[in-house]
Every structure is written in structure tokens, then in C-alpha cells.
Amino acid sequence: MAAEEARYILAIDQGTTSTRALLFDKSGSPMRVRQRELTQHFPQDGWVEHDAGEIWEATLAVCRGLLTGGTVAANIAAIGITNQRETTVLWDRASGEPLHHAIVWQDRRTAGICSGLKAEGKEPIVQEKTGLLLDPYFSGTKLAWLLDNVPGARPRAEAGELCFGTIDSWLIYKLTGGKRHVTDATNASRTMLFNIDRQDWDDEILGWFDIPRSVLPEVKDCCDDFGVTAADLFGAEIPIAGVAGDQQAATVGQACFEPGLMKSTYGTGCFALVNTGGKRVQSQNRLLGTVAYRIGGKTTYALEGSIFMAGAIVQWLRDEMGLIDTSEESEAMARDANPMSHVILVPAFTGLGAPYWEPEARAALFGMVRDTGAPEIVRAALESVSFQTRDLMDAMGEDMREAGLTAPKALRVDGGMVMNDWFVQNMTDILGRPVERPEVTETTALGAAYLAGMQVGFYGGTKDVADHWRCEKAFAPEMAEEERNARYGRWQGAVKRVIGG
Ligand code: ADP
């Protein structure tokens, strides 16, 4: 392939609800996008599955969809992959056939395994070695369930006949025609089987589940040689050169390359990550410690926290409460609300996440008066996301100061909800720190493109990528300190009442 012909990086963004492929040019602008929705399977209450075969076919279709209008494989310098994290696939090494539907990160079927291990006092070991908490979310117990419940799986795994992987591994295996069984350090760090200090699978934890090492993929850097696509797929071989789980890819797409740089993505839920540099911070606030990225053999760590309901609250206002017709209307409604309103919504519809971790808590509205109406409730719903972001940022700051690092001073945001200027300004006011919204909000796919592009020399190093990052709108705090403290104090009081603390 002649280097001058390679005008694009192809990013695959395999998400929970859809599979997308995007072409990025040298400037990091998305040039073309293809997308396919993904079928969700709910075989039992609390179970969520995807068909790994459907994911593969959709990936192939969206990638091929980009190779039109004169764009051919030779124009693609490399492929980058980003993916829904933790979702677990088990397949036959020889035939490439999955043994079972993929078990999706949201699936709670292994809650019993997790509470059993917790009762045995294993959670501190998990936290210490993997940075994670004992929760069905992560891949380890999902893989154990597959080995225990798919007939014949365990002896076949022991005989080296099976491959486990997160979605990145699965796609690379298929893209390379079954030649590579690999993953990257960020995806590995979400399995609960990977020791993030030693950067290797952890034999003690593998032992709890009788997981043979032969079933596990080789763990590579985020910028690395992940093999080449089988020539018959796209008409020529294309190197796969960059991989990261979705939230880590967004961290790269937001160019959070220095300790203290923090990004937060507001989709259905919200995921916030702060770069802690080469230092692994042990959280005292039940935040997750994870790999932000690993480049050139050097691991950069992050602290991560999530908000279960972010955009989902806006959907609730629209679909269950009927207070708005479209998500966009929430902005005008919040602006119309009485600014002196003291209404607080604690949106614990499915419990509260970090730093509270109260799965049994349930939502409540506080502070309503006779003239409270729809605008005040809409405002309280949006503001609850701001308050939870403040909770996360404060917890991260506390953990970082404890570790001798500087607390995050600003926040970079993306995701569907940040198109709402009222919300972002309110969050800025509640945080009392500047918030920046980038020009390219496709940060997840962009991060995958950057990782692949850095590996093949299409982009320079992280410094070049950081120079590419452009702010579309910078928000500065406008609220008086006293009001910020009063509002945040009311939120903390309301949370206490909800969790009975
Ligand atoms: P996901 O990737 O999780 O599907 P997106 O990043 O596409 O999510 O964001 C969609 C979410 O953002 C939806 O929950 C929607 O309600 C919310 N949303 C979209 N536009 C707005 C807006 N203007 N104001 C508030 N919320 C919005």
C-alpha cells in the first residue's frame, strides 16, 4: 500500500445499541458514517444478551459501507476499534462459532456468584489487584457462568479449543480470519481477571473460577500490531492498529493525556474518567481504578465513576411523566423554571452509583411548594445530573489528593445530553469549575482513530493529538459561591434522606 494513498483511518465503534463505522481524515474530522442497530435479547429478568454473529455481520456491513464512492481499502491507513466494555463472548477457536450469545455488561445473572465471593471476603483482593469492585458488570463471572453452563465448555476450554474475549477480541479474531486472539490493556482491565499493576492475567483470581489461561487473549498496548484484515474482506489487507474500550477511547478522543484532565460522557448513563498518570490510585470512595491507555509499553491509569441515569432521566421526563415531547425541549423548560425553586430530584431509579453505592435506594422528589410545576421538575431532573457530577469530581479530587496528585480543575464533556446549553452551564455552576465542549463530539470513535493513527504514523504522538483537540464552547461558572454551596448542600441533604444515612 502506498503511504500517500492512505487518506483515512477507519474507526469501528461497536456499542451496546448499535455498530458504527466512521472514516476520519488527517485533521481528525469524521468524513463518513455508517450505522446498524443491534438486537437486544432479554431471555430472563435481569439477563441481557447480544448475538455475537450479528455483531460481526453488522461490523462487516458498516465497514464495507464506507468503501464506496471511490474510497478503497488502500485509502485506509489503519483500523481502530472501540467497543462496549465487559460484554463477554466465548467461541470455538477452530470454527470461529460462538458457543452462546454474548453476555452483555448490563446482565445481572452472576449477582449470586458475586455476593458469594463478597461473603468470603474477596472484594478487597479484587479491588487491590484489578481496581474494580465485585460486581456482575465485569467479564470474569460472566465467563465463569459460560464455562459452567454451556455443555462441554469447561473440558473444551481446558483442551485449548475455546477463546474468550470482549467484543474487541471477537472482532479482531473475525477481521483477521481467525489468525489473532488478542485484546488491549483497557479492555483487559474490565474483565476482573487482569492485574492492573503487573499488567498480566491474575492466577489467583483465575483460580477462583477455574479459568484456564489458554482461553484468554494476549494483552497488547492500545497502539499496537493487532494483525491485518483478511484480504478477502475488503479487497486488500488493512492493519488493525488501535484498540480501547469505549470510555477509555473517549478519554483519548478528549485528549486527556495529563494527570488531572477529566472527561465525562453524558449518554443514557454518564461515565467520568480522570487521568491519574503512571500512578495507580486506590480509591477510598469506591470509584474504579482502571487503565486509561497503554502506549509504548507505558501504562497510564484513571479513576472512573458513573451515573446510572443521565440522558435516561430526560427520557423519563418525556416517556413516563409526559412533561416534555422531545429531549431538546428540556432546555427551554429548565430556563422557564423559577430560578429560586428548591426542588431536588434524587434520581435513584435503579439505586445510586459511586460514591454512594446504594443499589436498593429509590428515587424521590423533595422541596415542592404550591406553585411547583413541570418546569421546576424538569430543571431539578437536569440539575440532579450536575449534582452527581460534582459528587464524582469531589470524590476523584479527594482520592487524588490522598495519593499526592492534583485534583481535577476542569472538565471536558461529550454525549447527547451536552447539546443542552442550560444543562452544561448549570453543571459548570454547580462544579464551580470550567467545562469545555469539543468541536468533534464523536469522541469515542475519534479516540479509536487516534490510537490506530498514532501506531501507523498517520498522527504524531499524544502531543500531536492534543494539538488537534478543539474547544467548541467553554463554559465558566457564573453562580455566586453562596448559592452554589446552598444548592449543593440541599442535594446532599436529600441524598441522605433517600439512603437513610
Ligand atoms: P447513548 O450513546 O447512550 O445512546 P447519546 O450520547 O446518543 O446516548 O445521548 C442520548 C441521550 O441524550 C438521550 O438519553 C437523550 O434523552 C439525551 N439528550 C439528547 N438531547 C438532549 C438535550 N438537548 N437535552 C437533554 N438531554 C438530551
Side-chain angles (χ1 to χ4, degrees), residues 17 265-269 310-316 318 326-331 382 414-421 423:
T17 55
T265 301
Y266 297 86
T268 310
I313 300 186
V314 180
Q315 292 164 13
W316 172 76
R318 184 190 62 197
T326 64
S327 298
E328 291 71 25
E329 260 178 51
S330 63
E331 178 160 1
L382 294 178
D414 52 68
M417 223 185 143
V418 307
M419 294 306 122
N420 183 324
D421 278 3
F423 162 63

Side-chain angles (χ1 to χ4, degrees), residues 22-40:
L22 297 87
L23 281 186
F24 286 93
D25 68 5
K26 275 256 179 211
S27 72
S29 304
M31 305 306 293
R32 201 178 287 170
V33 186
R34 292 287 181 277
Q35 173 164 345
R36 265 210 194 170
E37 298 311 308
L38 179 59
T39 316
Q40 310 292 316

Side-chain angles (χ1 to χ4, degrees), residues 7 32 34 65-72 75:
R7 288 181 277 133
R32 201 178 287 170
R34 292 287 181 277
L66 291 178
L67 300 178
T68 54
T71 306
V72 295
N75 300 131

Side-chain angles (χ1 to χ4, degrees), residues 182-235:
V182 292
T183 187
D184 84 293
T186 67
N187 276 296
S189 80
R190 314 299 296 190
T191 59
M192 217 182 79
L193 305 173
F194 189 69
N195 186 311
I196 62 170
D197 288 320
R198 298 205 343 265
Q199 292 289 301
D200 189 14
W201 303 113
D202 190 275
D203 288 319
E204 181 184 358
I205 299 180
L206 294 178
W208 298 346
F209 305 116
D210 278 330
I211 294 174
R213 267 191 180 249
S214 63
V215 84
L216 303 172
E218 178 195 347
V219 182
K220 302 179 78 67
D221 282 359
C222 299
C223 303
D224 214 323
D225 167 14
F226 293 89
V228 294
T229 58
D232 59 334
L233 294 179
F234 305 119

Side-chain angles (χ1 to χ4, degrees), residues 35 67 148 171 207 213 218 252 275 333 381 404 410 438 445:
Q35 173 164 345
L67 300 178
D148 286 337
L171 291 180
R213 267 191 180 249
E218 178 195 347
V252 169
N275 183 320
M333 283 280 258

Side-chain angles (χ1 to χ4, degrees), residues 260-275:
L261 286 181
M262 176 174 170
K263 77 91 201 174
S264 200
T265 301
Y266 297 86
T268 310
C270 156
F271 291 87
L273 268 83
V274 63
N275 183 320

